[in-house]
């Protein structure tokens, strides 16, 4: 039995918020692996709620990899750091888990953005820095510069609209159907 649309949105939003908060709280207590597992379970629940196609799953993977790369770039640039000493690979796995929870939740929670993509810019500008600020207060990350939240707002002003655009397309944007290019005469 498939849940009605508004139930799926409410369930996905509740799962995302509970999972994100628990995962970040655990990371702030150096429980990186457990936080990553919880985030991964949240992502699996989102996949079950949304029942995405293989193309959308591939899009989720790409968004997750891009998100991880951007987060690691913020760390490398000295904008963001892990608040606890010596997290190593556990922290990277934790970030992967957070993106595994985020990417499959977007199509379900934010499908309404499909026709209003311009709204994803202010949502990204406010929501991105708010999430990192809360994560810093829960002890998972450190904002390393006075302007860290500004840099994160710029990141999310770009990343969130691109993610929303890619993830709210019914079939995703990656993995063209075999033979689609040949049928239209396009070259790879």
């Amino acid at each position: 039995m498939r849940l009605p649309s508004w139930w799926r949105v409410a369930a996905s939003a509740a799962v995302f918020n509970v999972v994100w908060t628990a995962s970040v709280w655990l990371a702030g207590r150096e429980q990186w692996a457990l936080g990553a597992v919880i985030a991964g379970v949240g992502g699996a629940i989102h996949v079950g709620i949304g029942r995405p196609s293989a193309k959308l799953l591939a899009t989720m993977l790409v968004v997750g990899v891009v998100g991880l790369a951007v987060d690691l770039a913020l760390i490398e640039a000295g904008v963001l750091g892990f608040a606890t000493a010596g997290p190593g690979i556990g922290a990277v796995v934790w970030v992967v888990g957070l993106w595994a929870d985020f990417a499959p939740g977007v199509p379900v929670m934010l499908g309404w953005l499909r026709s209003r993509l311009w709204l994803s810019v202010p949502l990204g500008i406010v929501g991105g820095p708010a999430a990192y600020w809360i994560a810093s207060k829960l002890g998972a990350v450190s904002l390393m510069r006075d302007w860290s939240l500004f840099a994160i707002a710029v990141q999310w002003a770009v990343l969130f609209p691109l993610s929303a655009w890619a993830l709210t397309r019914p079939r995703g944007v990656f993995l063209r159907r075999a033979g689609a290019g040949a049928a239209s005469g396009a070259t790879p």
Side-chain angles (χ1 to χ4, degrees), residues 47 52-62 104 167 171-172 175:
V47 168
S53 66
K55 288 182 180 184
L56 190 52
L57 285 171
T59 302
M60 290 173 189
L61 178 63
V62 170
L167 293 169
R171 295 189 180 117
L175 290 180

Side-chain angles (χ1 to χ4, degrees), residues 8 30-31 33 55 59 69-70 72 91 106 115 128 152-153 171 175 179:
R8 291 185 313 122
E30 298 189 41
Q31 299 295 316
K55 288 182 180 184
T59 302
V70 171
L72 293 177
V106 169
S115 62
I152 292 166
R171 295 189 180 117
L175 290 180

Side-chain angles (χ1 to χ4, degrees), residues 74-89:
L74 287 174
I75 292 166
E76 189 64 30
V79 173
L80 187 66
F82 294 111
T84 57
I89 193 69

Side-chain angles (χ1 to χ4, degrees), residues 142-160:
S142 295
L143 302 170
M144 306 300 282
R145 306 273 185 249
D146 292 339
W147 45 267
S148 290
L149 290 176
F150 175 77
I152 292 166
V154 171
Q155 168 199 346
W156 278 88
V158 175
L159 188 60
F160 191 62

Side-chain angles (χ1 to χ4, degrees), residues 75-112:
I75 292 166
E76 189 64 30
V79 173
L80 187 66
F82 294 111
T84 57
I89 193 69
V92 173
V93 171
W94 172 70
V95 173
V96 169
L98 288 178
W99 280 98
D101 182 40
F102 171 78
V106 169
V108 178
M109 292 183 294
L110 300 176
W112 57 272

